[in-house]
Amino acid sequence: WMLHSHEVNAVGPLLVVQAFHPFLKRAKGSARPRAVIANISARVGSISDNKMGGWYSYRMSKASLNMATRCMALELKRHGVCAISLHPGTVDTDFTKEYQKNVKPEKLFPVDRAARQLLEIVDTVKVSDTGKFYAWDKEVIPF
């Protein structure tokens, strides 16, 4: 499971950005980014926010994704591209079914609401926001 989690959650998104890199370059000078790379992370990928332990494979893969996001943010900022990590909250999917009973009903989001919340963030970031890790409610999560 551990290697598979890393392949899916960290390596995959990095390879996608690598493939699109030639298309992401643009002229400098705008506060709005030419492109936004929005990597779907999870709060459990925050090392400083980990208060429970467990979920080793998933936590480690999302922490890896967050590090990759920070690295690409530094490199792509030169081209006016913003790279951010996003925590969608707990979304009502098959993946979350087994632990939804522990989630308050107002914190369990339908897929369409989760997507809207994340797109609001993507639509408002500036180049100066690159490298940040945002929760669904626009809170900046510490790495």
Side-chain angles (χ1 to χ4, degrees), residues 6-74:
H6 271 78
E7 288 171 352
V8 171
N9 292 319
V11 177
L14 190 58
L15 292 175
V16 169
V17 172
Q18 181 183 27
F20 278 92
H21 182 263
F23 306 106
L24 297 173
K25 296 180 180 178
R26 73 161 186 95
K28 299 177 186 172
S30 173
R32 282 288 300 145
R34 160 89 187 208
V36 177
I37 296 163
N39 288 319
I40 305 301
S41 187
R43 185 178 291 273
V44 298
S46 168
I47 293 170
S48 61
D49 193 60
N50 183 354
K51 297 173 181 70
M52 294 177 54
W55 292 26
Y56 289 95
S57 296
Y58 189 67
R59 282 186 191 277
M60 290 169 62
S61 69
K62 292 300 187 176
S64 276
L65 176 63
N66 291 340
M67 177 56 83
T69 303
R70 288 292 295 237
C71 289
M72 67 180 73
L74 293 168

Side-chain angles (χ1 to χ4, degrees), residues 22-122:
F23 306 106
L24 297 173
K25 296 180 180 178
R26 73 161 186 95
K28 299 177 186 172
S30 173
R32 282 288 300 145
R34 160 89 187 208
V36 177
I37 296 163
N39 288 319
I40 305 301
S41 187
R43 185 178 291 273
V44 298
S46 168
I47 293 170
S48 61
D49 193 60
N50 183 354
K51 297 173 181 70
M52 294 177 54
W55 292 26
Y56 289 95
S57 296
Y58 189 67
R59 282 186 191 277
M60 290 169 62
S61 69
K62 292 300 187 176
S64 276
L65 176 63
N66 291 340
M67 177 56 83
T69 303
R70 288 292 295 237
C71 289
M72 67 180 73
L74 293 168
E75 293 176 28
L76 295 175
K77 183 177 182 179
R78 296 172 227 163
H79 305 292
V81 176
C82 184
I84 57 175
S85 289
L86 296 172
H87 165 59
T90 305
V91 182
D92 188 6
T93 64
D94 289 343
F95 180 72
T96 63
K97 290 286 185 222
E98 70 181 66
Y99 62 87
Q100 285 182 9
K101 64 184 177 298
N102 300 322
V103 178
K104 295 177 184 174
E106 67 273 12
K107 296 287 183 148
L108 180 63
F109 305 128
V111 173
D112 60 330
R113 177 177 170 185
R116 273 194 316 274
Q117 291 171 159
L118 298 182
L119 285 172
E120 284 178 22
I121 295 168
V122 170

Side-chain angles (χ1 to χ4, degrees), residues 122-137:
V122 170
D123 286 344
T124 59
V125 292
K126 298 181 176 81
V127 175
S128 60
D129 295 320
T130 196
K132 293 182 180 174
F133 182 12
Y134 288 98
W136 59 271
D137 60 358

